[in-house]
Amino acid sequence: MFTQRNWQLFDQNLSSRLLIGSALYPSPDVMHDAIKASGAEVVTLSLRRQNPAQGDGQAFWQLIRQLNLQLLPNTAGCHSVREVLTLARMSRELFDTDWLKLELIGDDYNLQPDPLGLVEAARHLIDEGFKVLPYCTDDLVLCQRLVDVGCEVLMPWAAPIGTGKGILNPYALQTLRERLPDTPLIVDAGLGRPSHACQVMEMGYDGVLLNSAIAQSQDPVIMARAFADATRAGRQAYLSGIMPEKELASPSTPTLGTPFWHQESDHAPT
């Protein structure tokens, strides 16, 4: 029987491969219960939404602290490298962590990251000691450039944020996995169903980061459990070795040589 294997993400030894967001829930209590139900050990949060130093949203902040999880502040809403650096430094001081989900938006229509600014921002942040998890597209060259400047983890999208479309380009994601075998890859954005998460994990990805698909479902707590189960199932399928596809049919129950097989005679009575 397969068990969930621990994995290393920077300085943390994690058992869950599901990372979860803290935005868009109908209430702080639902957020708390859904995160608990997910089994996630890393939770994202935004300084633009929550500023504990100013006492904004104390109920939200207290619930996050009670979860006792690894915080992953993000730079959501930033459109320039300067904005990213400013927000990142504030987040490190306020949330007391050097982990950072790097977001630098280049297009407001589909929230696609700015590839040039993303690499520049990642280089500056790594020089300042941040543990950077960049939200990026599935472009191989961009991902290679991010690794070149020191990113130890990448978070490519499956589809634009909040669309729930699932994997739009399986070839691109599979190529990333094959060309960057030693880099932890976490799919962030575009997953709408538990089956999408399972599919990603079956491809050999190290984890998934989810928010909208859980928070905006009719029952976030149940959906969080569903995504947790799907993530585990996909990982176990990958580890066990998935059956290769074939062009021709192949019987699962051989007939030749079995005790009940006989060749019908031409002279058998009709």
Side-chain angles (χ1 to χ4, degrees), residues 73-90:
N74 64 44
T75 58
C78 290
H79 290 77
S80 71
V81 174
R82 177 176 293 182
E83 278 187 284
V84 163
L85 296 178
T86 300
L87 197 61
R89 292 161 185 158
M90 293 173 64

Side-chain angles (χ1 to χ4, degrees), residues 110 135 138 156-168 187-191:
N110 65 2
Y135 161 62
D138 53 12
W157 70 4
I161 292 175
T163 61
K165 290 181 175 294
I167 303 175
L168 291 184
V187 167
D188 174 19
L191 304 181

Side-chain angles (χ1 to χ4, degrees), residues 18-248:
L18 172 61
L19 291 70
I20 195 167
S22 59
L24 305 176
Y25 293 89
S27 73
D29 287 337
V30 172
M31 175 205 69
H32 176 273
D33 293 345
I35 293 174
K36 290 285 287 185
S38 74
E41 296 161 287
V42 179
V43 58
T44 65
L45 66 168
S46 173
L47 180 63
R48 290 184 182 275
R49 178 174 183 267
Q50 168 64 31
N51 186 344
Q54 299 299 323
D56 299 339
Q58 276 298 322
F60 170 86
W61 178 237
Q62 288 302 320
L63 287 173
I64 288 290
R65 293 182 63 182
Q66 290 169 15
L67 292 166
N68 195 31
L69 304 178
Q70 171 65 53
L71 301 182
L72 179 57
N74 64 44
T75 58
C78 290
H79 290 77
S80 71
V81 174
R82 177 176 293 182
E83 278 187 284
V84 163
L85 296 178
T86 300
L87 197 61
R89 292 161 185 158
M90 293 173 64
S91 294
R92 178 160 60 181
E93 180 178 349
L94 292 173
F95 297 121
D96 192 28
T97 180
D98 52 9
W99 284 41
L100 186 76
K101 177 186 174 184
L102 169 58
E103 296 186 43
L104 177 53
I105 301 305
D107 180 75
D108 286 324
Y109 179 75
N110 65 2
L111 300 181
Q112 180 171 328
D114 174 351
L116 301 179
L118 198 66
V119 174
E120 181 184 352
R123 177 170 53 81
H124 285 297
L125 290 166
I126 290 168
D127 287 345
E128 294 187 20
F130 284 94
K131 294 179 173 66
V132 178
L133 296 88
Y135 161 62
C136 55
T137 64
D138 53 12
D139 182 84
L140 174 62
V141 175
L142 169 59
C143 290
Q144 288 174 325
R145 295 293 179 268
L146 289 167
V147 171
D148 290 343
V149 298
C151 291
E152 298 179 32
V153 180
L154 300 179
M155 299 206 299
W157 70 4
I161 292 175
T163 61
K165 290 181 175 294
I167 303 175
L168 291 184
N169 193 340
Y171 172 78
L173 285 185
Q174 191 65 59
T175 299
L176 281 182
R177 181 67 287 174
E178 293 171 357
R179 296 289 297 275
L180 300 171
D182 300 321
T183 302
L185 298 177
I186 300 168
V187 167
D188 174 19
L191 304 181
R193 304 180 182 186
S195 58
H196 295 160
C198 187
Q199 184 181 4
V200 164
M201 298 303 293
E202 287 175 350
M203 295 170 71
Y205 273 72
D206 297 278
V208 293
L209 196 161
L210 297 156
N211 194 162
S212 302
I214 293 176
Q216 296 187 307
S217 66
Q218 293 183 12
D219 191 325
V221 175
I222 293 177
M223 187 61 79
R225 294 195 189 104
F227 269 105
D229 290 342
T231 301
R232 284 192 293 268
R235 181 63 181 176
Q236 291 178 354
Y238 171 73
L239 292 175
S240 63
I242 296 173
M243 171 185 172
E245 294 184 5
K246 301 177 181 178
E247 293 298 324
L248 299 177

